[in-house]
Amino acid sequence: MSTTFGELQSLHLTSVHDRDHEPEWWRSSVIYQVYPRSFRDLDGDGVGDLAGITAELPRLAELDIDAIWLSPFYPSPQLDGGYDVSDYCDVDAALGTLEDFDALVAAADAHSVKVIIDLVPNHCSREHVLFRRALAAAPGSPERDAFVFRDGRGGSGELPPNNWKSHFGGPAWTRVVEADGSLGQWYLHLFDSSQPDFNWDDELVRAEFERILRFWLDRGVAGFRVDVAHALVKAQGLPDWGGRADGGSVPGFPFTDAPMFGQPQIHDIYRRWREVLAEYDGERILCAEASVEPLTRLADWVRPDQMHQTFNFSYLAAPWDATELRRIVTSSIEAFDAVGAPTTWVLSNHDVVRHTTRLGQGDAVARPGDGIGAEDEQPDHTLGTRRARAASLLMLGLPGGVYLYQGEELGLPDHTTLPHEFRQDPTYRRTAGERLGRDGCRVPLPWTRTGPSCGYSATGASWLPQPEGWAELSREAQSQDPSSTLSLYRTALSLRRSHGLGSGSLAWAEDLGGQDCLGFVNNDVLVLLNTGTTPVELPDLPVLARSRPGTSMPRVLSPEECIWLQTAEPTTTTP
């Protein structure tokens, strides 16, 4: 039996967001994340490269995006997927050259697509020249001051300086062998032991990263996504702490009292970076990867003198529940509006289980991020795809900025049966397999229906194997199918732009006929989502897009479906 929305004009609208059109492109941007190793391999060595990204830019431009964000492409031992950087001002030989990077920026500009790059300022690779110099220098030297070196505890310094744990499992400290062959100091690494943390109290570190910013700004990048933006500064004295840096199974992550997270002095760094970017034309931006809660505290990262955007991980982790989705959207918009910043929305990235898989697991996990293995209960792919399409359409209807992860426009799931011998994520190694890591969401993309790597590589080689069934999810297979996920994204992104939804307003629609229904009006588009099990009747309005096309009941919103309807007139609200 269906419930009904009733007549549209009877809906009670409660405004939570209303802003005049802003000229800054980043306030309403759609930014597409490229994980270079897995995007497109043009030279056939099994590893994606910059030339492969350049070759496929026309396909990305078809999505009507504003920018691409490149995950690290710098020289690296690749012990953490490129986030262990050995040189911040060059390109890894496996991915290309600086000339290839310049060609990519030029090609992107020709398609009116900006290029944003990953910046990894919390830590570098142990192969970085600054860390090699620190290891060769004596305790207390200026070279060691660039990193967090400390004497150990215990009678002979045999114990780590404090009890901090690595995000990837195990201790956050490693002891070094000094130049004379003796066991010496310990260095801090919040991630893998191959990734020593910089000491951001050191002015030389701050100057070095300003140099890095300018190097890439001079090459035309539109901005930076700042990795682990909440952790650069550590509390004075490095006190012991009762929590785990990775959150673990302990409730309350990310802890507001963590001595390695969210220290007040960190904001001075970003104020200075904002000044550096302001020296360049074209609205260059900073986006924070900051694991900070509550949202009102996260908003401190995007005050007018600091970053332009920050990822909204509260939204990414939201369960499949209309009430909770409304709460998170409302609190997000209110928190960011309070500091004059846009909200950003994201459902997948290179660190979490893809939302097609995550939403097929039933109840959403509290902190998504670790992979699924063949020995685990497998997600319902049909359910996950249906929910993911609806969740994507909902997200693209919201005002603010949107981040897309490569392959989500194809509805790609994680590789949930990846053989363990192929796993490369350091979390798998450091926890002896207790955590599977993030390799499942980083599998190379399928481009064609045929070939051993579905067109990813010119030779069929692939640094991670693709799962069965990848060919039918390829871009080639979906390009001419009007009911495909790729077609849904193309349609929604085009409508998002033409209806000005990114820079629009949001007003909640009340009395929807049940707690499992969510609805809001953004400009002249009514967005409706049904997270329940009962169909609901729709208002008699033109359909712009729906996540379940080809329905035999056009005036019914099916369970696990989202729809965009054209309102009779553009809706205006007051703050």
Side-chain angles (χ1 to χ4, degrees):
M1 183 176 180
S2 298
T3 55
T4 179
F5 286 104
E7 295 298 323
L8 178 62
Q9 57 264 32
S10 69
L11 295 178
H12 173 63
L13 303 179
T14 305
S15 175
V16 296
H17 178 76
D18 183 43
R19 179 183 296 282
D20 292 337
H21 176 71
E22 300 281 1
E24 297 97 335
W25 68 271
W26 44 270
R27 289 188 175 275
S28 58
S29 57
V30 176
I31 299 177
Y32 182 101
Q33 180 188 359
V34 172
Y35 192 74
R37 289 171 58 83
S38 296
F39 188 74
R40 178 81 163 81
D41 168 30
L42 211 62
D43 63 13
D45 65 356
V47 177
D49 43 51
L50 297 185
I53 301 169
T54 302
E56 301 300 346
L57 272 171
R59 261 61 64 191
L60 296 184
E62 289 173 359
L63 292 173
D64 200 13
I65 59 175
D66 295 286
I68 58 172
W69 148 36
L70 302 179
S71 288
F73 52 85
Y74 314 107
S76 166
Q78 298 296 332
L79 297 177
D80 182 24
Y83 283 88
D84 49 325
V85 179
S86 57
D87 185 347
Y88 288 88
C89 295
D90 205 347
V91 175
D92 193 288
L95 277 70
T97 64
L98 279 172
E99 290 72 23
D100 291 328
F101 179 83
D102 293 339
L104 170 58
V105 173
D109 184 64
H111 288 284
S112 300
V113 173
K114 303 176 190 297
V115 176
I116 292 168
I117 64 173
D118 229 311
L119 188 66
V120 189
N122 179 71
H123 51 266
C124 64
S125 166
R126 63 188 173 198
E127 301 300 322
H128 194 287
V129 63
L130 292 181
F131 190 68
R132 294 204 308 268
R133 290 173 183 170
L135 288 178
S141 63
E143 290 84 357
R144 288 212 171 171
D145 282 347
F147 298 90
V148 186
F149 278 90
R150 294 292 187 273
D151 294 331
R153 296 188 287 192
S156 58
E158 73 276 11
L159 299 176
N162 66 25
N163 70 346
W164 292 4
K165 300 297 182 184
S166 163
H167 286 54
F168 290 164
W173 295 91
T174 292
R175 197 174 191 185
V176 305
V177 177
E178 302 293 357
D180 62 3
S182 64
L183 289 173
Q185 288 189 306
W186 299 71
Y187 67 88
L188 177 68
H189 50 87
L190 289 185
F191 293 87
D192 189 51
S193 58
S194 66
Q195 296 166 289
D197 277 38
F198 283 109
N199 171 24
W200 276 88
D201 293 330
D202 183 32
E203 288 300 324
L204 290 178
V205 170
R206 298 190 182 213
E208 172 64 6
F209 272 88
E210 284 191 27
R211 182 187 74 86
I212 294 165
L213 289 174
R214 293 182 189 281
F215 178 87
W216 294 108
L217 290 167
D218 288 340
R219 298 192 96 92
V221 303
F224 304 87
R225 175 265 190 187
V226 183
D227 185 63
V228 198
H230 55 289
L232 274 58
V233 177
K234 282 72 175 178
Q236 289 296 313
L238 308 182
D240 280 353
W241 181 54
R244 280 176 49 182
D246 65 356
S249 59
V250 183
F253 177 89
F255 300 89
T256 56
D257 65 340
M260 72 288 291
F261 293 157
Q263 300 302 304
Q265 301 90 331
I266 204 168
H267 298 288
D268 293 335
I269 298 169
Y270 301 135
R271 289 187 183 98
R272 175 56 190 154
W273 288 7
R274 180 75 174 244
E275 292 173 354
V276 171
L277 266 65
E279 298 173 14
Y280 292 79
D281 60 8
E283 293 286 343
R284 318 293 179 97
I285 71 166
L286 296 167
C287 178
E289 183 209 27
S291 294
V292 178
E293 290 184 2
L295 284 163
T296 50
R297 187 167 178 243
L298 179 61
D300 289 339
W301 267 252
V302 286
R303 291 183 179 278
D305 61 343
Q306 295 181 54
M307 296 203 177
H308 302 74
Q309 298 177 337
T310 185
F311 292 130
N312 189 339
F313 292 120
S314 294
Y315 184 77
L316 184 151
W320 183 252
D321 179 85
T323 301
E324 187 64 6
L325 279 167
R326 172 167 173 163
R327 183 194 67 80
I328 291 172
V329 169
T330 300
S331 58
S332 299
I333 292 175
E334 289 177 344
F336 288 97
D337 264 5
V339 295
T343 311
T344 65
W345 314 103
V346 61
L347 287 170
S348 288
N349 63 40
H350 67 292
D351 282 333
V352 301
V353 174
R354 288 180 176 274
H355 64 282
T356 294
T357 295
R358 193 169 70 242
L359 294 173
Q361 291 179 270
D363 294 334
V365 293
R367 268 195 79 238
D370 226 26
I372 299 169
E375 65 275 18
D376 298 322
E377 181 178 350
Q378 294 298 295
D380 183 333
H381 182 69
T382 301
L383 173 68
T385 298
R386 192 164 59 242
R387 287 182 171 181
R389 287 170 60 102
S392 298
L393 195 57
L394 177 78
M395 176 181 72
L396 295 175
L398 290 165
V402 170
Y403 277 81
L404 309 177
Y405 178 45
Q406 65 176 39
E408 75 170 73
E409 77 278 16
L410 305 177
L412 295 185
D414 264 39
H415 191 338
T416 60
T417 57
L418 180 70
H420 293 326
E421 62 265 27
F422 291 104
R423 296 193 182 278
Q424 300 188 28
D425 195 311
T427 60
Y428 181 72
R429 169 176 46 83
R430 289 181 63 87
T431 63
E434 179 183 345
R435 293 178 58 189
L436 296 183
R438 302 157 293 177
D439 295 306
C441 68
R442 300 177 177 184
V443 174
L445 298 184
W447 291 89
T448 63
R449 280 194 174 100
T450 58
S453 65
C454 298
Y456 158 72
S457 173
T459 62
S462 179
W463 71 281
L464 282 176
Q466 296 164 327
E468 295 293 328
W470 222 232
E472 292 310 308
L473 294 175
S474 67
R475 190 168 297 267
E476 180 185 41
Q478 297 195 40
S479 288
Q480 303 304 317
D481 180 0
S483 66
S484 70
T485 300
L486 177 59
S487 293
L488 175 67
Y489 268 76
R490 285 173 174 167
T491 297
L493 288 165
S494 176
L495 289 168
R496 176 182 169 85
R497 175 121 20 219
S498 63
H499 288 262
L501 302 186
S503 57
S505 61
L506 186 148
W508 291 113
E510 310 290 0
D511 305 322
L512 299 181
Q515 64 181 7
D516 294 325
C517 296
L518 180 73
F520 60 84
V521 176
N522 182 353
N523 285 351
D524 60 340
V525 177
L526 172 62
V527 178
L528 303 171
L529 173 70
N530 182 359
T531 64
T533 59
T534 304
V536 293
E537 294 180 15
L538 290 168
D540 187 13
L541 294 169
V543 175
L544 296 172
R546 64 189 312 162
S547 63
R548 297 179 69 174
T551 177
S552 60
M553 297 183 293
R555 286 299 157 204
V556 169
L557 184 66
S558 301
E560 295 162 339
E561 183 181 20
C562 183
I563 195 169
W564 290 5
L565 301 174
Q566 170 81 63
T567 59
E569 297 178 0
T571 300
T572 57
T573 57
T574 56

